[in-house]
């Protein structure tokens, strides 16, 4: 039991246990259609959560990811929509809009990183402020209206494109964190920024890069969410922040920095998606669903924390 | 640790027990996806749909998207995976529901939209919606008649909902249309955007009353926003009963419990009522008919009605808010 508790795959094991318990009780849970739904539901969330994990590992937090998703969604839609878009009717509208969305996301992340490092402001305050600013700007740009009539080539990304993007992002992020000097700098910065600075780690540049990655991946998630709904929305993703943080923490990322992996994050995202999926298929009442979700996430986090304590004792 | 795992298993089993009610001899299962249940109107509608389904021996599989269109899409896909017999959706907006309808069409599952119609597309669905334009027009026409009982020019204000919501636009247009014939005597001095948000409504109406202290007529696009208007009027000493000097003619839309209480106490002149009983019955009937292969019109309009102090006793039994206990 101690071995299971301290396993790096504890969350994955919990997710599998949850599935094993629910599958016989919930009709349709174990069908190929539902499993495909489950994967399909978790992919965009995985992309945005991996970006957040970069910032968390570096010892920060990015509250603005949901606002970046919304702002990228409407800016991309303003460029490519078939009615009033700047590139309406142009065959290059979809690829140009996607590039523009990614550029906007990376730029917004870069601004967050600069504000945190250059202005020496707490990440929480900076990204809380930018969350309001970016979100408000998205609403102002569209006057609260959704933008539809997006090109079919763009909407087509909602299918196989989603899987491709998520796999590429996960592999690239894993490789960066495990096998690159930037990955090592990121962990070092999150563990002890001052010691890292003294040791020659370019802490400011690493922090700015982490926020830029977060912004870029939020934009990539925005592309996937927007394509899925075939609509640019100024409130897109507004309610997913808790899922992002829950998935990251359940997946073993520390809110104090210095710890987190892509594999753990994917397991955390799977757990959150599985929870949503099973509560949905159960038809649990709205008045119970948030409580049930909160309790299960709390239990998973407690188990993770117990595992860390056991690991700490083992080291001592 | 062993205890922890036991608790998890127990919790999962309890969840399964409390949620899955599809076993037994029901006539089928209908997936019901609400955007939110955070106002009385949605709760009353949810309860109405649940009652109508029960009446027809149909199980309800419910999901609430908490204002997130993506989550709602995932929930609808889950319904389709579960092979429900029909889907009822209260969409977040007109555009994001279109891919959901397409998915249901592809799976051959009938889909009915409650309260909000979809944007124009090739996707096939049925919508049950209140005639927002006409109900608002009739309500505001009544308010204008009350305001014009006093001599001289009058000033009017409207609290507009979320302009991404087609119902909010229809209510705004109904307001403008009703006041057109009185353009010489009633001037619209303030159009306040609220995005269905009470704080924004309070800030907006407070500013409007500051800029135009003699506003005589206020229409709120949803009764949900009435407390904001009441608060602003109280702070200026103008929250007065019908018939008192300086009373601001006040009207709303929805017919919730707050509006009912204000009507009975004499502070509210009128409100346009969405007939929740009609809407929920028509919605469930539509999904049943579609499942049976019958033809159902693309839009089923709820004519609604205006309730005011003159007809309160007569039509209150049809006002859903009158049945909500506060």
């Amino acid at each position: 039991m101690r071995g299971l508790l301290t396993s790096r795959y504890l969350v994955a094991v919990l997710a599998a246990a949850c599935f094993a318990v629910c599958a016989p009780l919930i009709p349709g849970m174990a069908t190929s259609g539902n499993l495909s739904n489950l994967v399909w539901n978790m992919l965009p969330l995985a992309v945005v959560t991996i970006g957040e994990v970069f910032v968390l590992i570096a010892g920060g937090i990015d509250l603005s990811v949901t606002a970046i998703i919304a702002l990228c969604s409407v800016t991309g839609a303003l460029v490519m929509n078939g009615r009033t878009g700047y590139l309406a009717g142009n065959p290059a509208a979809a690829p140009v809009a996607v590039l523009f969305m990614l550029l906007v996301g990376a730029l917004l992340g870069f601004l967050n990183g600069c504000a945190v490092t250059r202005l020496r402001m707490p990440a929480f305050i900076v990204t809380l402020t930018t969350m309001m600013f970016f979100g408000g700007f998205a609403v102002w740009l569209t006057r609260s209206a959704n933008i539809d009539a997006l090109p079919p080539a763009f909407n087509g990304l909602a299918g196989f494109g989603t899987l491709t993007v998520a796999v590429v992002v996960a592999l690239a992020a894993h490789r960066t964190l495990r096998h690159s000097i930037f990955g090592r700098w990121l962990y070092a910065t999150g563990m002890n920024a001052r010691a890292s600075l003294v040791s020659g780690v370019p802490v400011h540049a690493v922090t700015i890069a982490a926020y830029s990655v977060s912004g870029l991946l939020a934009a990539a998630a925005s592309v996937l969410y927007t394509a899925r709904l075939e609509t640019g929305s100024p409130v897109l993703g507004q309610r997913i922040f808790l899922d992002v943080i829950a998935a990251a923490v359940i997946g073993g990322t520390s809110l104090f920095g210095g710890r987190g992996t892509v594999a753990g994050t994917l397991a955390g995202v799977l757990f959150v998606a599985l929870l949503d999926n099973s509560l949905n298929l159960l038809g649990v009442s709205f008045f119970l669903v948030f409580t049930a979700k909160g309790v299960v996430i709390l239990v998973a986090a407690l188990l993770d924390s117990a595992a860390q304590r056991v690991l700490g004792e083992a080291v001592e | 640790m062993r205890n922890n795992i036991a608790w998890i298993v127990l919790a999962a089993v309890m969840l399964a027990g409390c949620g899955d009610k599809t076993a037994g001899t029901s006539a089928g299962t209908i997936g019901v996806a609400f955007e939110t249940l955070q106002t009385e109107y949605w709760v009353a509608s949810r309860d109405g749909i649940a009652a109508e389904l029960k009446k027809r021996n149909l199980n309800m599989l419910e999901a609430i998207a908490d204002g997130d269109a993506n989550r709602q899409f995932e929930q609808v896909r889950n319904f389709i995976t579960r092979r429900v017999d029909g889907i009822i959706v209260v969409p977040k907006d007109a555009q994001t529901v279109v891919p959901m309808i397409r998915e249901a069409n592809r799976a051959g599952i009938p889909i009915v939209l409650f309260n909000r119609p979809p944007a124009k597309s090739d996707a096939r669905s049925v919508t049950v919606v209140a005639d927002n334009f006409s109900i608002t027009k009739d309500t505001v026409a009544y308010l204008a008649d009350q305001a014009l009982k006093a001599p001289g020019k009058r000033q009017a204000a409207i609290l507009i909902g979320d302009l991404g919501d087609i119902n909010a636009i229809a209510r705004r247009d109904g307001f403008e249309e009703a006041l057109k014939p009185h353009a010489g005597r009633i001037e619209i001095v303030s159009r306040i955007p609220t995005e269905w948000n009470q704080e924004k409504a309070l800030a907006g109406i407070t500013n409007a009353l500051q800029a135009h202290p003699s506003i005589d007529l206020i229409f709120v696009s949803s009764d949900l926003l009435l407390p904001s208007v009441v608060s602003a009027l109280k702070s200026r000493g103008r929250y007065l009963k019908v018939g008192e000097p300086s009373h601001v003619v006040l009207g709303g839309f929805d017919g919730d419990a707050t509006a009912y209480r204000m009507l009975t106490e004499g502070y509210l002149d009128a409100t346009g009522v969405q007939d929740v009983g009609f809407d929920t019955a028509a919605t469930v009937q539509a999904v049943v008919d579609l499942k049976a292969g019958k033809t159902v019109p693309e839009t089923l309009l709820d004519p609604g009605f205006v309730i005011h102090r003159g007809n309160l006793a007569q039509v209150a039994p049809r006002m859903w808010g009158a049945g909500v206990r506060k």
Side-chain angles (χ1 to χ4, degrees):
Chain A
M1 194 49 73
R2 190 184 168 93
L4 172 64
L5 189 62
T6 55
S7 166
R8 288 164 54 198
Y9 306 107
L10 174 64
V11 179
V13 171
L14 283 176
C18 179
F19 184 81
V21 169
C22 292
L25 299 169
I26 307 172
M29 179 89 185
T31 59
S32 59
N34 189 53
L35 293 177
S36 142
N37 262 1
L38 190 60
V39 172
W40 194 77
N41 291 349
M42 68 176 272
L43 293 178
L45 183 63
V47 172
V48 65
T49 307
I50 288 171
E52 184 71 51
V53 163
F54 269 68
V55 173
L56 290 171
I57 290 173
I61 189 164
D62 187 354
L63 303 177
S64 68
V65 283
T66 53
I68 292 176
I69 289 174
L71 187 50
C72 290
S73 176
V74 296
T75 50
L78 283 171
V79 169
M80 67 181 146
N81 82 82
R83 291 202 192 95
T84 57
Y86 301 114
L87 295 177
N90 190 320
V96 170
V98 169
L99 285 175
F100 186 64
M101 291 166 82
L102 296 177
L103 189 68
V104 168
L107 181 66
L108 298 178
F110 178 79
L111 290 176
N112 276 334
C114 287
V116 169
T117 53
R118 303 296 169 197
L119 304 178
R120 296 176 188 280
M121 286 167 67
F124 189 91
I125 298 299
V126 168
T127 56
L128 181 67
T129 311
T130 52
M131 175 188 77
M132 290 190 276
F133 180 77
F134 298 156
F137 190 56
V139 170
W140 178 81
L141 268 179
T142 58
R143 301 291 189 272
S144 275
N146 289 332
I147 304 168
D148 59 359
L150 306 186
F154 177 81
N155 295 338
L157 285 171
F160 191 66
T162 303
L163 182 64
T164 311
V165 170
V167 169
V168 168
V169 164
L171 288 176
H174 174 74
R175 199 167 169 76
T176 303
L177 289 178
R178 290 291 294 273
H179 303 295
S180 75
I181 185 73
F182 172 64
R184 266 169 274 171
W185 284 346
L186 208 56
Y187 285 107
T189 302
M191 278 176 193
N192 191 327
R194 187 171 290 272
S196 303
L197 196 62
V198 172
S199 310
V201 174
V203 169
H204 285 185
V206 167
T207 306
I208 291 172
Y211 281 95
S212 303
V213 169
S214 175
L216 178 70
L217 295 191
S222 176
V223 170
L224 305 180
Y225 280 131
T226 306
R228 178 193 281 196
L229 292 175
E230 303 175 11
T231 305
S233 163
V235 293
L236 189 69
Q238 209 176 40
R239 308 292 177 102
I240 64 166
F241 187 71
L242 280 182
D243 281 355
V244 170
I245 292 296
V249 172
I250 290 170
T253 303
S254 170
L255 287 173
F256 301 103
R259 189 158 56 85
T261 60
V262 172
T265 303
L266 291 178
V269 171
L270 173 65
F271 192 84
V272 169
L274 183 62
L275 201 57
D276 262 339
N277 181 257
S278 51
L279 290 174
N280 185 197
L281 287 178
L282 276 166
V284 175
S285 157
F286 171 70
F287 303 106
L288 277 177
V289 80
F290 289 112
T291 314
K293 200 170 164 182
V295 167
V296 177
I297 289 173
L298 178 66
V299 169
L302 283 174
L303 283 175
D304 184 52
S305 143
Q308 295 314 313
R309 269 202 307 277
V310 171
L311 276 175
E313 284 163 12
V315 170
E316 284 164 20
Chain B
M1 181 61 198
R2 202 168 294 155
N3 281 346
N4 285 340
I5 289 180
W7 275 109
I8 294 170
V9 172
L10 181 64
V13 171
M14 284 170 67
L15 276 177
C18 71
D20 189 18
K21 301 177 185 76
T22 57
T25 56
S26 82
T29 299
I30 305 296
V32 181
F34 268 79
E35 178 226 337
T36 177
L37 282 186
Q38 285 177 347
T39 69
E40 286 169 17
Y41 175 74
W42 296 124
V43 175
S45 303
R46 181 249 169 233
D47 292 347
I49 288 172
E52 289 292 334
L53 289 172
K54 196 173 176 189
K55 217 187 279 178
R56 291 164 173 81
N57 196 26
L58 287 161
N59 285 316
M60 179 166 92
L61 192 59
E62 73 175 296
I64 315 299
D66 193 28
D68 183 345
N70 254 300
R71 191 183 299 268
Q72 187 162 63
F73 194 8
E74 290 170 4
Q75 290 168 342
V76 168
R77 283 179 65 112
N78 287 341
F79 288 156
I80 293 169
T81 303
R82 181 77 184 260
R83 295 303 307 167
V84 294
D85 298 287
I87 296 173
I88 295 170
V89 182
V90 180
K92 170 145 177 56
D93 52 63
Q95 289 80 23
T96 55
V97 74
V98 172
M100 303 178 209
I101 302 172
R102 283 210 189 97
E103 290 273 335
N105 288 168
R106 267 195 289 272
I109 297 176
I111 181 163
V112 177
L113 274 58
F114 181 87
N115 195 264
R116 287 179 188 142
K120 281 204 183 313
S121 75
D122 55 349
R124 301 179 315 279
S125 63
V126 169
T127 303
V128 178
V129 64
D131 190 345
N132 287 278
F133 178 83
S134 298
I135 300 171
T136 304
K137 193 178 156 196
D138 294 347
T139 307
V140 177
Y142 176 85
L143 299 177
D145 288 345
Q146 302 307 304
L148 291 173
K149 282 180 181 169
K153 295 204 169 189
R154 321 299 289 166
Q155 293 187 331
I158 174 174
L159 284 86
I160 303 169
D162 184 343
L163 289 177
D165 180 347
I166 201 162
N167 292 347
I169 294 168
R171 291 174 203 177
R172 178 202 61 188
D173 293 348
F175 171 84
E176 303 270 354
E177 187 68 22
L179 292 187
K180 256 186 202 165
H182 309 293
R185 281 198 62 198
I186 300 179
E187 182 193 2
I188 304 170
V189 292
S190 189
R191 296 172 177 86
I192 303 156
T194 68
E195 295 172 36
W196 301 133
N197 180 303
Q198 288 179 326
E199 287 76 26
K200 285 185 184 175
L202 177 57
I205 190 65
T206 303
N207 293 339
L209 286 167
Q210 181 70 34
H212 308 282
S214 56
I215 283 176
D216 311 284
L217 186 160
I218 298 174
F219 174 75
V220 295
S221 293
S222 167
D223 292 342
L224 162 76
L225 306 174
L226 279 172
S228 305
V229 176
V230 170
S231 173
L233 287 174
K234 274 183 179 167
S235 70
R236 297 197 71 89
R238 294 197 63 192
Y239 187 56
L240 303 165
K241 289 189 177 181
V242 177
E244 288 188 82
S246 296
H247 163 72
V248 177
V249 174
L250 188 56
F253 192 103
D254 276 341
D256 75 5
T258 302
Y260 177 69
R261 180 180 50 75
M262 287 174 66
L263 271 168
T264 54
E265 290 174 355
Y267 289 102
L268 187 72
D269 291 80
T271 193
V273 181
Q274 305 193 70
D275 191 343
V276 172
F278 171 91
D279 296 347
T280 54
T283 300
V284 173
Q285 192 55 51
V287 86
V288 167
D289 287 348
L290 286 171
K291 180 69 185 163
K294 294 181 189 168
T295 306
V296 181
E298 201 174 314
T299 304
L300 298 169
L301 266 188
D302 160 16
F305 55 91
V306 183
I307 186 165
H308 48 76
R309 290 185 58 76
N311 67 1
L312 183 61
Q314 186 191 342
V315 299
R318 287 172 57 209
M319 181 186 187
W320 62 270
V324 175
R325 268 201 293 168
K326 273 283 201 183

